Amino acid sequence: MKYAPTKLNRGYANRILNIDLGTGAIETPELDAQVRDYFIGGRSLGLYLLHQATTPTTKAQDPQNPLIIANGPLGGIPQFPGTAKAMAISLSPITGVPGVSNFGGYFGAFLKYAGFDALKITGKANQAMLIVINGFTSEVHLEPAPADDEAFHLQTDLEARYTKAGYQRRNIAFMSTGVGAANTSYGCINSHYFDVTKPARDGGRGVWRSKQAGRTGIGSVMHDKNILAIVVLAEYPHGENPYGAADWQKVLNAGASLHKIVKEVDPQQLKMHRKGSVGLITFMSKHEYQSLPVKNFQGGTDPRAAQICGKHYAEHLFEHRGMDGCFPGCNLQCNKGGWVTLTSGTHAGLKAWVDGPEYETAAGFGSNLGIWSAEFIMEANWHCDNYGIDTISTATIMAFIMECFQRGYLTSADTDGLELVWGNQKVALSFMHRLAHGESECARMAGKGMIELNEWVAKRYQERTGIDPRADLALFAMQTKGLPFSFYRTHRSLSMQGSYAAASDIGAHHAAAWLIKADLLGAFPTFEEKARALMTYPRVRLGNDNLGVCKLPWVDVFNPESAKRVTGDIHINPASQEIYADFYNGVLGTELGWEEIFERTDRDINLQRVMNVMRYGAKTIDHDWIPERAIGPTEDALYETEQEFNDSELVRMLGLDAAAVAATPTTEKRTQLMDQRRKELRKLIQVYYEERGWNDKGIPKVETLKRLGLWEYLTPETRERLAALTCAERCPAGSEPVYAYA
Ligand code: SF4
């Protein structure tokens, strides 16, 4: 299908690419200007398209559930650091609610260069296919995929296919998934691009690299649609102001300012350009923070943390030569990687390039499994990417299984002989291979997700012993809304508990409100400040996902000018936010302050919540909660491991006498502590709802949606359901919601 080329204007291509795999129809409608200006782009635009394409009863596996990839107006502009980000959006097979995952690499930018602000794929193909978007010839077509069920094999095949057709490797970007996405509900999508600067294994130059849209199982949706890869062939637009910015000089100035801050500050602060995000491991493991999950979040620190931390990788495993920005122009260059020799699976013995690990993967496959080997973590990272499965979900589910072994809920008879115990690298890798291929009953159940696995374990244990273990298993099955936890132990950060429970509508993930570090550093000392942070940080963080920019240059590079501010929250790095606002205004031709820009994120935060409410109904509040293990010590021995701190918490929260607390039996103290923590979390969630203009069940009020202007963008069915669900506020007592739509 041929389409007319378009010139970028204010960062937009102003066109969407719709592909219906069921009918074979390919359309390229204009992006409605009103929708564009309201939803901005990226995640927000994707959620709008998802909302329009689905009903409250649509399931992730239904053909009408779209897979959406969307960039944002500031994405793909290499004159500013970190404009690599694009978003994958779909109904999630692991949670059932909208799934959202951001990813780096060139794909989002190339999609824009080829002429599209978003790609929406519906239907299912009847054989494995590739989607090819050719920005050179302005054509879109589908072609049969090679018989590959591993992402890196596919990478080699696609490289050969398109270089043979005359394209340079640097002009090829593609999204892929693999066999693990078919056998789990948490498949990831890899975003592949060719890094011409990195030394190759054979001594030449250039390495294929990949970033992942890891969370919420969007790779499983892609595999279910029978799409193995989406290829974009494109090049950077040429000439002065090729993105159609309203004020190009302002864009250049903003880019130069942030480049300067990053260049001067990162070497003095976190050294992300050497250590990557994995440098966070020892910070989280600090004795006073206890925030690095160890053995399924039972512990929060370990003296071996340095063995899997950024310094170790930087000195022994990362290949520093070349350019480690995941898109040109990012001088933070935290996208680290290196070579490792694989020890397991069908590729054992291969020296493979691994992109990563990032903090999450290192904490997940390292401390949380009781494994302190950097090489093991890199190998696990490679296999997950190759199989197309999310490292975070995989590692959290494996930690749950290992704790089930620890507590006797599972034995090797349940796992076809695998003794999944803490620290056993060989068995952990074997299980990962089985998981990706669905090779045992336990692996297949683990592939379905934490909730299904939990129930399977409970049934087997009950059959064996006659005892129902459900209440105990629920304490440490680390999921919220069905999404396995990412790796922050939250006992010492109430705001992060609120983040996982209620501010992250995709489930237990930190992308919306990564508050833990600022909270540990004392940024939110009062209850009110913690609640406020649940509002303000997601505006910026999710707002970045709407714009197509990376969060790390403001999160991880603290602008010295911010420290000089005397009002407001300096931890949100206001001086750098102002530079982002200059970039935004320069591209879009507006004159907005950074707070105004990011307040607009309330629109899509509310839209996402509305879509969750469509699924959860009056029970929405029940899904805004976290397991006991994320709240505090789930048994006396765990209380005693941190006795001094836990005792001091009781003194602080309940105003008790320290000597009396010290003399109280542990069981009694632990009960008091957990009761109080639950109360505080419940209160925090209620204050958060109130701040957002939601009712006490977590459902957005109609007047809130009208005030935001969102009401007119909701489908009639959604409006009616919402009005009925919130009718208790306006209708006579005792009246029940009534739906016209069944
Ligand atoms: S800061 Fe890191 S993750 Fe963000 S764009 Fe730069 S290299 Fe990529």
Side-chain angles (χ1 to χ4, degrees):
M1 183 264 181
K2 202 87 177 136
Y3 61 91
T6 182
K7 208 167 164 2
L8 297 177
N9 185 16
R10 302 195 177 199
Y12 290 103
N14 285 309
R15 193 164 46 194
I16 290 175
L17 174 57
N18 290 334
I19 299 176
D20 184 335
L21 298 168
T23 63
I26 302 176
E27 292 168 350
T28 59
E30 272 186 22
L31 173 60
D32 181 290
Q34 198 184 334
V35 167
R36 177 197 67 203
D37 294 345
Y38 186 79
F39 288 102
I40 314 294
R43 173 183 162 279
S44 176
L45 176 62
L47 285 168
Y48 169 75
L49 296 173
L50 178 65
H51 178 62
Q52 293 298 316
T54 55
T55 72
T57 55
T58 306
K59 302 275 185 298
Q61 295 76 11
D62 291 347
Q64 59 266 41
N65 177 31
L67 165 61
I68 296 160
I69 310 277
N71 48 48
L74 307 188
I77 303 181
Q79 284 75 10
F80 194 88
T83 60
K85 298 295 176 180
M87 305 299 299
I89 301 115
S90 189
L91 286 181
S92 162
I94 192 166
T95 66
V97 293
V100 181
S101 191
N102 79 15
F103 61 92
Y106 296 12
F107 187 91
F110 278 22
L111 182 67
K112 180 190 278 193
Y113 303 161
F116 303 104
D117 300 307
L119 161 66
K120 186 178 84 172
I121 305 164
T122 49
K124 295 186 186 187
N126 50 22
Q127 66 175 102
M129 300 296 282
L130 305 177
I131 293 172
V132 183
I133 303 161
N134 191 329
F136 291 96
T137 61
S138 301
E139 280 175 299
V140 181
H141 70 271
L142 278 78
E143 58 190 48
D148 284 320
D149 61 5
E150 295 180 0
F152 296 132
H153 218 232
L154 184 64
Q155 178 177 278
T156 306
D157 281 349
L158 295 187
E159 175 185 13
R161 186 180 289 207
Y162 296 105
T163 52
K164 201 167 158 205
Y167 295 97
Q168 304 273 337
R169 289 180 294 187
R170 65 169 183 270
N171 296 128
I172 305 166
F174 62 95
M175 308 287 286
S176 78
T177 190
V179 63
N183 290 312
T184 68
S185 59
Y186 39 92
C188 79
I189 308 181
N190 295 292
S191 158
H192 304 249
Y193 64 98
F194 191 71
D195 177 353
V196 294
T197 69
K198 193 61 70 185
R201 199 175 30 186
D202 60 8
R205 276 206 113 56
V207 168
W208 281 98
R209 307 192 65 174
S210 65
K211 302 296 288 176
Q212 284 68 38
R215 302 246 63 196
T216 69
I218 300 182
S220 297
V221 174
M222 181 166 155
H223 207 290
D224 188 47
K225 292 190 177 301
N226 238 337
I227 295 299
L228 285 199
I230 308 165
V231 182
V232 190
L233 306 168
E235 63 179 344
Y236 300 93
H238 305 295
E240 179 70 5
N241 190 10
Y243 312 98
D247 184 342
W248 185 232
Q249 192 54 49
K250 195 169 190 167
V251 170
L252 296 179
N253 293 346
S257 298
L258 196 60
H259 274 122
K260 185 168 178 288
I261 302 292
V262 169
K263 186 175 172 212
E264 290 174 359
V265 172
D266 182 53
Q268 312 304 323
Q269 290 181 357
L270 299 181
K271 301 181 179 62
M272 296 284 284
H273 71 289
R274 295 283 302 169
K275 301 181 187 172
S277 64
V278 70
L280 190 61
I281 291 272
T282 44
F283 175 89
M284 288 296 158
S285 180
K286 281 187 177 182
H287 182 74
E288 63 271 33
Y289 297 156
Q290 300 279 336
S291 296
L292 178 72
V294 178
K295 295 185 179 172
N296 199 28
F297 297 80
Q298 292 180 83
T301 186
D302 194 284
R304 291 163 288 184
Q307 292 170 213
I308 59 166
C309 191
K311 188 165 181 288
H312 178 85
Y313 283 98
E315 289 171 359
H316 302 287
L317 289 158
F318 285 159
E319 166 57 82
H320 296 290
R321 290 173 295 168
M323 196 281 294
D324 280 328
C326 65
F327 189 66
C330 185
N331 62 334
L332 189 52
Q333 304 212 18
C334 75
N335 183 32
K336 307 305 293 183
W339 298 95
V340 76
T341 302
L342 305 177
T343 64
S344 70
T346 52
H347 301 285
L350 174 74
K351 193 172 179 191
W353 172 264
V354 182
D355 272 297
E358 298 205 32
Y359 165 81
E360 299 292 336
T361 302
F365 285 123
S367 56
N368 210 33
L369 299 187
I371 295 175
W372 304 96
S373 161
E375 287 83 356
F376 165 82
I377 291 165
M378 288 181 85
E379 175 165 359
N381 195 153
W382 189 87
H383 289 304
C384 282
D385 296 348
N386 191 37
Y387 288 138
I389 45 177
D390 174 29
T391 56
I392 297 176
S393 302
T394 302
T396 305
I397 281 175
M398 285 172 65
F400 172 73
I401 294 173
M402 287 185 178
E403 187 163 348
C404 286
F405 267 81
Q406 175 194 323
R407 296 180 186 280
Y409 292 123
L410 284 175
T411 70
S412 53
D414 300 302
T415 54
D416 283 7
L418 288 186
E419 195 77 32
L420 276 147
V421 294
W422 303 118
N424 191 327
Q425 299 176 33
K426 204 166 164 226
V427 170
L429 287 167
S430 298
F431 183 78
M432 203 179 299
H433 299 306
R434 286 188 186 180
L435 176 72
H437 293 102
E439 273 177 1
S440 70
E441 189 184 354
C442 180
R444 284 190 292 278
M445 294 313 299
K448 287 181 188 297
M450 188 71 88
I451 293 172
E452 291 84 349
L453 175 64
N454 187 335
E455 182 56 24
W456 179 78
V457 172
K459 268 195 188 144
R460 284 183 78 100
Y461 183 78
Q462 195 165 8
E463 275 165 22
R464 189 164 71 234
T465 63
I467 300 165
D468 181 355
R470 284 173 181 77
D472 196 25
L473 291 173
L475 298 177
F476 61 87
M478 300 301 287
Q479 59 80 26
T480 290
K481 301 180 177 65
L483 190 70
F485 261 63
S486 64
F487 298 111
Y488 301 99
R489 186 171 181 265
T490 51
H491 294 196
R492 301 201 181 197
S493 172
L494 176 63
S495 64
M496 197 66 208
Q497 291 177 25
S499 164
Y500 276 133
S504 174
D505 266 337
I506 62 168
H509 192 54
H510 55 279
W514 186 67
L515 301 178
I516 189 162
K517 190 176 174 193
D519 203 6
L520 292 172
L521 292 172
F524 322 122
T526 66
F527 190 84
E528 289 68 30
E529 282 164 306
K530 290 182 201 303
R532 191 76 202 141
L534 285 170
M535 286 285 289
T536 52
Y537 282 73
R539 280 179 177 156
V540 183
R541 296 180 64 86
L542 299 176
N544 286 171
D545 288 345
N546 297 345
L547 301 177
V549 297
C550 178
K551 305 167 187 78
L552 302 192
W554 70 266
V555 173
D556 288 325
V557 183
F558 186 65
N559 190 327
E561 287 301 311
S562 292
K564 297 177 189 163
R565 302 295 162 92
V566 288
T567 54
D569 171 17
I570 62 164
H571 293 270
I572 207 162
N573 208 356
S576 285
Q577 301 298 352
E578 286 160 11
I579 300 174
Y580 277 83
D582 283 346
F583 180 34
Y584 180 98
N585 290 325
V587 174
L588 290 160
T590 47
E591 291 289 339
L592 300 169
W594 68 268
E595 288 102 332
E596 285 174 283
I597 292 168
F598 290 121
E599 263 173 32
R600 295 169 171 208
T601 317
D602 285 352
R603 301 166 182 176
D604 42 273
I605 288 172
N606 275 273
L607 175 59
Q608 193 172 3
R609 171 59 50 145
V610 164
M611 284 192 274
N612 278 16
V613 169
M614 288 303 103
R615 177 161 172 85
Y616 298 143
K619 292 190 168 24
T620 295
I621 187 173
D622 298 347
H623 297 268
D624 286 346
W625 198 245
I626 50 177
E628 294 275 290
R629 174 64 58 75
I631 296 173
T634 45
E635 62 192 14
D636 291 353
L638 295 177
Y639 183 103
E640 285 162 3
T641 310
E642 295 169 63
Q643 173 136 354
E644 198 181 324
F645 174 77
N646 288 330
D647 281 3
S648 73
E649 282 283 276
L650 278 178
V651 171
R652 178 186 67 81
M653 291 193 295
L654 299 174
L656 300 176
D657 174 69
V661 169
T664 306
T666 302
T667 305
E668 199 180 313
K669 288 194 287 194
R670 193 172 67 79
T671 304
Q672 281 181 314
L673 180 70
M674 291 301 283
D675 283 351
Q676 194 57 26
R677 288 238 179 109
R678 278 186 225 103
K679 261 188 221 155
E680 284 201 341
L681 180 57
R682 259 185 224 111
K683 187 173 154 204
L684 181 71
I685 291 170
Q686 283 302 322
V687 175
Y688 171 69
Y689 288 169
E690 214 174 299
E691 287 254 356
R692 282 230 162 275
W694 299 350
N695 72 12
D696 61 3
K697 301 284 184 291
I699 299 172
K701 293 177 183 171
V702 172
E703 61 260 34
T704 301
L705 302 174
K706 287 186 173 168
R707 176 177 52 76
L708 290 169
L710 183 61
W711 189 249
E712 65 177 281
Y713 291 100
L714 301 179
T715 62
E717 182 178 5
T718 303
R719 283 190 221 157
E720 185 178 345
R721 281 182 175 244
L722 264 180
L725 275 166
T726 54
C727 83
E729 290 146 30
R730 291 167 284 106
C731 306
S735 60
E736 290 292 323
V738 180
Y739 304 119
Y741 298 87

